[in-house]
Amino acid sequence: MTVDRILNHSLVLLSQLLLLATVCSGDYDSDGQLTVSVLHSLDPSPRGVFTPRGAISVRSLRSGGSATYQPTGALSSAELAQLKTLVENDGIYRLKLTAQSLDGRKTEVATFVKACHLAESGLRDTLLLTMDAAGSLVAASQLTDAGRCHGDSLAALDGLHGFNTDVTIRQTEPGPIPDTASFIQKIEQEKLAKQRGETKDNRSFIAKYWMYIVPAVLLLMVSGGSDPPQQGGGGGGR
């Protein structure tokens, strides 16, 4: 493969990388709205049934993002009984969030806390949503005020009929994008200059002809390091 063909292949690859970086760094529409469905499971089994708990509306990600949470309704007596059973058994309260971004991609993430933590915080929690630059849901975390269970979790549930939820938006920071456009332009200019014969070799004399100088120096060192053999003295008289 010639040098020109290698250079052409490199330019094509760099152009594709530049296009990919441009697409990946696209901004989320500031006027758009993303709806995230929130489902929870009060079933202690690993494959418990998830039922609707509420919905989150996310807006204006470009200016920092804002979100509002709308609950589906108050907890029924049956749901409260399930939650108390989950607390008594030191179970896990699980959430599942599903969202569909403006470009049509559907994302599903999950999070959980100990049921006793949620109970002792008075059913008050914070949902931390992580969004990427395209406006897609990347991850979610459920946070409560209670850091540990103190044993009075069931008493904390008395008189409560619903969740008090806050939502916080966190956006991922896009990584640096290489300046491939300037690099491609520089390569193209050097290629044209080479074709026109305008490229000048500014290297020093030794840098240009070192492959000739080094063997000559070695040859001189080898030939000068060996002394010529000397003849012996005259023979003695009889």
Side-chain angles (χ1 to χ4, degrees), residues 143-182:
L143 309 174
T144 63
D145 295 333
R148 55 184 301 179
C149 298
H150 300 282
D152 53 353
S153 305
L154 291 178
L157 290 175
D158 293 340
L160 298 179
H161 300 283
F163 297 96
N164 188 354
T165 301
D166 295 324
V167 181
T168 302
I169 302 297
R170 179 176 61 185
Q171 289 183 262
T172 57
E173 295 293 335
I177 300 175
D179 187 11
T180 53
S182 300

Side-chain angles (χ1 to χ4, degrees), residues 188-236:
E188 287 288 353
Q189 291 175 351
E190 292 178 354
K191 181 180 177 182
L192 290 176
K194 182 179 178 181
Q195 291 175 351
R196 296 172 182 173
E198 299 175 357
T199 304
K200 296 181 180 180
D201 194 347
N202 296 322
R203 294 178 298 170
S204 64
F205 178 81
I206 296 178
K208 291 181 183 179
Y209 303 109
W210 67 270
M211 70 288 293
Y212 305 111
I213 296 174
V214 172
V217 173
L218 292 176
L219 182 61
L220 290 174
M221 292 175 62
V222 172
S223 61
S226 58
D227 295 331
Q230 298 181 357
Q231 296 180 355

Side-chain angles (χ1 to χ4, degrees), residues 8-231:
N8 289 333
H9 283 295
S10 300
L11 292 175
V12 172
L13 179 60
L14 286 173
S15 300
Q16 293 175 346
L17 290 174
L18 178 61
L19 178 60
L20 178 61
T22 303
V23 172
C24 293
S25 62
D27 290 330
Y28 179 80
D29 185 5
S30 60
D31 296 328
Q33 178 172 310
L34 177 69
T35 300
V36 181
S37 300
V38 182
L39 300 94
H40 66 166
S41 176
L42 302 173
D43 188 345
S45 63
R47 296 185 178 182
V49 178
F50 285 84
T51 56
R53 172 183 150 171
I56 301 172
S57 297
V58 182
R59 298 179 300 277
S60 304
L61 279 179
R62 184 177 298 173
S63 59
S66 62
T68 56
Y69 175 78
Q70 181 64 40
T72 302
L75 291 172
S76 65
S77 57
E79 289 175 325
L80 282 173
Q82 284 183 294
L83 182 57
K84 289 180 179 181
T85 302
L86 205 60
V87 172
E88 287 178 334
N89 296 329
D90 196 25
I92 298 297
Y93 175 82
R94 291 172 292 167
L95 287 180
K96 182 166 62 176
L97 293 83
T98 59
Q100 185 168 352
S101 60
L102 295 179
D103 58 4
R105 289 184 297 171
K106 187 175 181 179
T107 307
E108 181 176 294
V109 297
T111 182
F112 66 90
V113 294
K114 294 192 68 173
C116 61
H117 289 173
L118 185 61
E120 294 190 14
S121 64
L123 297 185
R124 181 179 182 85
D125 59 356
T126 299
L127 298 181
L128 177 60
L129 306 185
T130 302
M131 318 289 294
D132 63 12
S136 297
L137 180 63
V138 177
S141 298
Q142 185 183 19
L143 309 174
T144 63
D145 295 333
R148 55 184 301 179
C149 298
H150 300 282
D152 53 353
S153 305
L154 291 178
L157 290 175
D158 293 340
L160 298 179
H161 300 283
F163 297 96
N164 188 354
T165 301
D166 295 324
V167 181
T168 302
I169 302 297
R170 179 176 61 185
Q171 289 183 262
T172 57
E173 295 293 335
I177 300 175
D179 187 11
T180 53
S182 300
F183 181 70
I184 292 175
Q185 184 179 6
K186 180 180 178 181
I187 293 180
E188 287 288 353
Q189 291 175 351
E190 292 178 354
K191 181 180 177 182
L192 290 176
K194 182 179 178 181
Q195 291 175 351
R196 296 172 182 173
E198 299 175 357
T199 304
K200 296 181 180 180
D201 194 347
N202 296 322
R203 294 178 298 170
S204 64
F205 178 81
I206 296 178
K208 291 181 183 179
Y209 303 109
W210 67 270
M211 70 288 293
Y212 305 111
I213 296 174
V214 172
V217 173
L218 292 176
L219 182 61
L220 290 174
M221 292 175 62
V222 172
S223 61
S226 58
D227 295 331
Q230 298 181 357
Q231 296 180 355

